[in-house]
Amino acid sequence: METYDINKIMAEYGDSDFGFSTESEDEFNLLVAEKEETVEEYRARLYQVEKIIMPFLTKLLKTAEQPIIKWPNRGPILEEQIQRILKLTRG
């Protein structure tokens, strides 16, 4: 079985390293702690979005057999819900 010179192979590809670098373990642990807080924050926001959307979707599902939906003056209601969602997802 032929053995390749890894250093020679690495030299062939030069500095094409995809742009990544390394960090110390302390830097990594700080980053992980920050991300965990961020994940919890996003989870809470997603739950708030769910609370806005699910009543609408469950009502649609419950009335799935009805051929016509009557929803007068829905514009302001929908705009308010859209604003609430955007505040959570973009705010």
Side-chain angles (χ1 to χ4, degrees):
M1 180 167 150
E2 186 175 353
T3 303
Y4 297 96
D5 181 350
I6 298 299
N7 291 323
K8 186 177 176 182
I9 298 297
M10 289 172 59
E12 267 183 58
Y13 293 98
D15 292 332
S16 181
D17 65 358
F18 301 98
F20 69 84
S21 62
T22 61
E23 313 187 310
S24 73
E25 187 173 348
D26 290 338
E27 289 172 322
F28 175 76
N29 288 334
L30 285 173
L31 183 63
V32 168
E34 179 182 303
K35 295 293 182 191
E36 285 177 2
E37 291 171 9
T38 303
V39 166
E40 290 305 317
E41 179 184 305
Y42 284 129
R43 186 172 283 140
R45 283 184 177 192
L46 281 174
Y47 180 68
Q48 290 175 356
V49 169
E50 178 183 304
K51 287 173 43 178
I52 294 169
I53 294 172
M54 290 307 291
F56 173 68
L57 294 177
T58 56
K59 178 70 173 187
L60 282 176
L61 182 58
K62 288 177 186 177
T63 59
E65 299 300 318
Q66 301 296 319
I68 298 171
I69 296 173
K70 182 178 179 184
W71 191 1
N73 303 315
R74 67 182 166 266
I77 295 168
L78 290 171
E79 286 180 26
E80 179 185 346
Q81 298 302 333
I82 289 169
Q83 290 299 323
R84 288 178 64 199
I85 291 168
L86 290 173
K87 193 177 289 184
L88 289 167
T89 60
R90 299 183 184 194

